[in-house]
Amino acid sequence: MTRTTVVTGGGTGIGKAVAARFAADGDRVVIIGRRADTLVTAAKEIGGTALPGDLSEPAEVERVRADLAERFGTIDVLVNNAGGNVEMHGGHDGLAERWTANFRANVLTSVLPTEAFRELLNPAGRIVFISSIAALRGSGGSSYGPMKAALHPYAFDLAAALGPRGITVNVVAPGFIEDTEFFGGTLDDERRATLVAQTHTGRAGTPQDIAGTVHWLASPDAGHVTAQIIQVNGGAERGR
């Protein structure tokens, strides 16, 4: 049966890889993000539908929800991937501004669409949040880790609320993943080597590693897996 899969932040990196994995299965894939040009290009590449929108803004989320309902009626899979550490890219002065910016980028962009789209989810639907290793071990003093960590209890509560409908809710927490825009060009060779050395597998992760895990969580094989945090980090969270 063809499913409708919605991936936020689906224009690049992990989100694009997740969307491509579901599209390869024949799903109707909808990608959502702020950068319309990037989104449209990605949608053409994977054979999906682009719905531009800023998911940190309630009015934008409602507009996207209405568009989804009109075009597709219901959805089967929601992957909340939008986010990133905005502190790494500058432009936010002061502690309150930096924490608020990461709250908007990582918490609101997951909570607002989830609450808006939850009634569109079919029975046996799937919700997956993309968190981070930083939510489990800290993020070097930035607000990014705490904001990703906020999604974990939210996912647990949501799993309890939606479980009677047969809907599962899980979290995937990646470690260091290459070929994304996360570091914004700030990752030098020394830092990369340090991050790889923290793994037990001796390599960086790839967007496809995360896509494969999300795809499994959305499959019938994972129908009894809910309220879980799945780490995909090569063992890095355990330390060396």
Side-chain angles (χ1 to χ4, degrees), residues 55-95:
L55 296 178
S56 69
E57 294 290 343
E60 285 281 279
V61 172
E62 285 303 315
R63 178 184 58 77
V64 171
R65 188 207 66 79
D67 204 344
L68 283 171
E70 180 179 356
R71 292 198 199 188
F72 304 100
T74 59
I75 63 177
D76 299 285
V77 180
L78 172 61
V79 182
N80 288 295
N81 168 74
N85 188 354
V86 300
E87 289 192 44
M88 294 181 64
H89 309 299
H92 301 282
D93 297 325
L95 183 65

Side-chain angles (χ1 to χ4, degrees), residues 38 54 211 235:
T38 299
D54 184 346

Side-chain angles (χ1 to χ4, degrees), residues 28-62:
R28 291 180 294 266
V29 175
V30 182
I31 55 176
I32 305 172
R34 291 182 296 108
R35 295 178 293 175
D37 290 346
T38 299
L39 209 66
V40 169
T41 298
K44 289 180 180 177
E45 291 177 5
I46 67 173
T49 300
L51 284 184
D54 184 346
L55 296 178
S56 69
E57 294 290 343
E60 285 281 279
V61 172
E62 285 303 315

Side-chain angles (χ1 to χ4, degrees), residues 3-14:
R3 299 186 299 182
T4 299
T5 295
V6 176
V7 182
T8 72
T12 63
I14 290 172

